[in-house]
Amino acid sequence: MSERLVEMLSAEDIQARVKELGAEITQAYKDKPLVLVVVLKGSFIFAADLCRHIDLPLRVDFLGVRSYGEGTETSGVVQITQDLSKPIAGEHVLIVEDIVDTGLTIAHLMDLFRTRGPKSVNVCALLHKPARARVSVKVDYLGFTIEDKFVVGYGLDFAERHRNLPYIGIVERD
Ligand code: 5GP
């Protein structure tokens, strides 16, 4: 079986949108200190680019989450594999996600974080697949709405491959 990558969003389009998102976030928080919570692993490239377009006093923390096995379907179970390194009580928190698909991961993280007493919790996602939503979640800062295709690249993997692509693509097999 041969595999082909078809580009869905170019590196240039992604960079331009990430810059706009950074400016939007900078405007919205108006000099307030912010904690970026990067959801690993898929968001690492997006977060690295995004944070360089945010002009605010910023702290970055990482959260390890597992909801997928080796396949492309969510298990519906969200497991925290690595917790934050510091408390978020009294802080403005922005969760940085690569993609909101069923919404289960973000819904779970919102519930979890709210028990920890932050001043606010918002969500920034690069991609959203509304066709697959199983719970409704509010994405406060969104890069692109995409159709229901399994995408890779720019941090996103398929069985740990393709994270290093500078663009977002679809894996096609024939
Ligand atoms: P949700 O909990 O919203 O269903 O899924 C969130 C997580 O599932 C994402 O952070 C991502 O890791 C994974 N995911 C969902 N859709 C895709 C996709 O199209 N491609 C890849 N590579 N991962 C996806």
Side-chain angles (χ1 to χ4, degrees):
M1 196 163 57
S2 68
E3 201 181 273
R4 236 163 352 114
L5 287 165
V6 180
E7 187 176 283
M8 181 192 255
L9 295 168
S10 72
E12 292 73 26
D13 288 351
I14 297 169
Q15 291 306 325
R17 188 70 191 114
V18 170
K19 191 173 172 190
E20 287 174 358
L21 285 174
E24 242 183 86
I25 292 162
T26 303
Q27 276 277 316
Y29 286 88
K30 297 191 179 68
D31 292 330
K32 291 188 200 111
L34 184 65
V35 182
L36 277 196
V37 170
V38 182
V39 184
L40 296 172
K41 299 178 199 171
S43 307
F44 79 110
I45 293 179
F46 173 42
D49 284 344
L50 179 69
C51 74
R52 284 176 281 182
H53 293 293
I54 300 178
D55 185 12
L56 294 170
L58 199 75
R59 185 160 82 70
V60 181
D61 210 339
F62 299 92
L63 188 78
V65 164
R66 186 184 299 139
S67 58
Y68 274 58
E70 296 284 288
T72 60
E73 278 298 308
T74 181
S75 61
V77 178
V78 180
Q79 185 193 349
I80 305 286
T81 56
Q82 180 192 314
D83 207 342
L84 300 176
S85 67
K86 283 192 181 166
I88 50 167
E91 310 254 31
H92 290 289
V93 173
L94 183 62
I95 303 175
V96 180
E97 251 294 35
D98 48 6
I99 182 164
V100 177
D101 184 29
T102 62
L104 290 168
T105 305
I106 284 296
H108 180 85
L109 295 184
M110 294 295 279
D111 286 351
L112 174 71
F113 285 0
R114 283 194 186 116
T115 66
R116 298 184 180 186
K119 248 189 213 141
S120 67
V121 187
N122 286 303
V123 176
C124 175
L126 179 68
L127 306 172
H128 188 207
K129 274 194 241 176
R132 301 241 319 154
R134 277 167 60 181
V135 286
S136 107
V137 294
K138 184 164 163 276
V139 180
D140 304 277
Y141 307 96
L142 175 65
F144 303 92
T145 299
I146 61 166
E147 55 181 314
D148 183 10
K149 301 265 189 204
F150 190 82
V151 292
V152 296
Y154 197 65
L156 287 152
D157 75 310
F158 176 56
E160 293 301 328
R161 287 182 50 219
H162 306 305
R163 291 195 198 276
N164 54 330
L165 292 174
Y167 60 90
I168 302 271
I170 304 163
V171 185
E172 286 194 348
R173 291 189 180 75
D174 37 31

